[in-house]
């Protein structure tokens, strides 16, 4: 497989909450986004195995493989199933510290950019590594005009890295649809222009990862000098394994990507990938 390096400065299509900025042109269509990242430490003991302080390449690979095995059943490891109605993921970076409990109330969720701009109403609370909240909103077009039926949005709070939380949301016209993410995992979400996974290149996914990380750091997405990624595609373009270097605050390392449905005005406009950072 060919490995390609990217150091893109293109703007991410995921939602980045900076006051009134609206980065999603339209609700509808269909694409998934997002998931959480984590600090899972896998210690190996006994006969010749790596112990918790072993930082050799073999020990690191064992840790990463152990972490990936914990992703079974989450959106970091499998695609969300198709539904009869409109359904897609949205990731919104918050650029704020949550309280020590890592939770957001219904009222706080209603004040966020994506949910608030759609006049959404929420129930319950979203808790890191815990419960999800449920919100109801109406599809709007680029002119903020209502265009369709109510959508139910399942909302989870996830780490986005760099000290910032994010909201990972799944909107589904068929009703509440829950999803799970790896515990404590850092998540990113990005779009490539090619709509068919089998035709997506490693260059495109690397661009999307760098873009996603830039926006996780701060709302203007200003490129970090020297940050770059290399990605190898697998499973016919459904997944990719990427290496990120030059990132601040622990962002460097392995990021796994999986194709998911995300927000777009045209289902043929491109493909979205959910990125999850493998613990070092």
């Amino acid at each position: 497989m060919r490995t390609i390096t990217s150091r893109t400065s293109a703007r991410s299509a995921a939602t980045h909450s900076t006051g009134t900025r609206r980065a999603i042109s339209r609700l509808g269509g269909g694409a998934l986004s997002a998931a959480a990242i984590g600090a899972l430490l896998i210690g190996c003991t006994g006969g010749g195995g790596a112990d918790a302080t072993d930082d050799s390449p073999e020990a690191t690979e064992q840790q990463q493989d152990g972490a990936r095995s914990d992703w079974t059943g989450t959106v970091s490891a499998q695609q969300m199933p198709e539904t009869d109605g409109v359904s897609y993921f949205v990731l919104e970076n918050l650029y704020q510290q949550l309280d020590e409990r890592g939770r957001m109330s219904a009222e706080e969720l209603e004040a966020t950019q994506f949910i608030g701009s759609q006049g959404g109403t929420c129930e319950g609370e979203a808790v890191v590594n815990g419960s999800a909240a449920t919100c109801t909103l109406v599809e709007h077009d680029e002119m903020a005009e209502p265009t369709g039926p109510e959508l139910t949005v399942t909302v989870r709070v996830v780490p986005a890295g760099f000290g910032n939380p994010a909201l990972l949301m799944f909107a589904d016209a068929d009703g509440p649809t829950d999803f799970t993410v790896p515990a404590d995992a850092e998540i990113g979400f990005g779009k490539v222009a090619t709509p068919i996974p089998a035709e997506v290149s490693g260059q495109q996914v690397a661009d999307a990862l760098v873009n996603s990380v830039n926006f996780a750091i701060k709302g203007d997405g200003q490129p970090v000098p020297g940050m770059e990624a290399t990605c190898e595609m697998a499973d016919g373009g459904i997944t990719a394994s990427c290496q990120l270097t030059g990132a601040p605050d622990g962002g460097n390392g392995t990021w796994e990507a999986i194709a998911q449905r995300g927000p777009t005005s045209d289902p043929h406009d491109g493909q979205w990938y959910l990125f999850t950072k493998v613990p070092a």
Side-chain angles (χ1 to χ4, degrees), residues 67-202:
R68 291 188 186 95
S69 69
D70 290 339
W71 296 359
T72 303
T74 73
V75 292
S76 295
Q78 63 187 51
Q79 294 179 301
M80 287 288 281
E82 294 285 346
T83 64
D84 292 334
V86 172
S87 61
Y88 52 85
F89 273 112
V90 175
L91 178 70
E92 179 174 343
N93 291 303
L94 298 177
Y95 311 111
Q96 67 188 49
Q97 293 290 340
L98 300 180
D99 64 25
E100 67 280 1
R101 297 169 299 171
R103 63 184 64 204
M104 293 188 72
S105 67
E107 292 76 15
E108 290 171 323
L109 292 170
E110 290 169 0
T112 58
Q113 180 186 348
F114 178 75
I115 296 169
S117 67
Q118 313 304 320
T121 58
C122 301
E123 297 180 351
E125 62 179 0
V127 182
V128 174
N129 297 330
S131 62
T134 301
C135 301
T136 301
L137 50 83
V138 177
E139 280 192 84
H140 287 68
D141 61 17
E142 296 134 357
M143 304 302 294
E145 294 294 329
T147 61
E150 289 186 343
L151 291 175
T152 301
V153 182
T154 302
V155 184
R156 290 192 173 276
V157 180
V158 300
F162 314 101
N164 296 320
L167 298 181
L168 182 59
M169 299 168 274
F170 187 72
D172 196 342
D174 285 351
T177 302
D178 201 0
F179 60 90
T180 58
V181 295
D184 296 317
E186 297 170 5
I187 299 303
F189 194 45
K191 178 187 170 188
V192 303
T194 303
I196 302 173
E199 298 176 0
V200 173
S201 69

Side-chain angles (χ1 to χ4, degrees), residues 5 17 29 49 52 54 59 84 87 109 118 126 159 164 187 192 214-215 228 233 269:
T5 299
S17 179
D54 189 348
D84 292 334
S87 61
L109 292 170
Q118 313 304 320
N164 296 320
I187 299 303
V192 303
N214 278 324
F215 275 102
E228 60 184 35
M233 306 302 294
D269 186 42

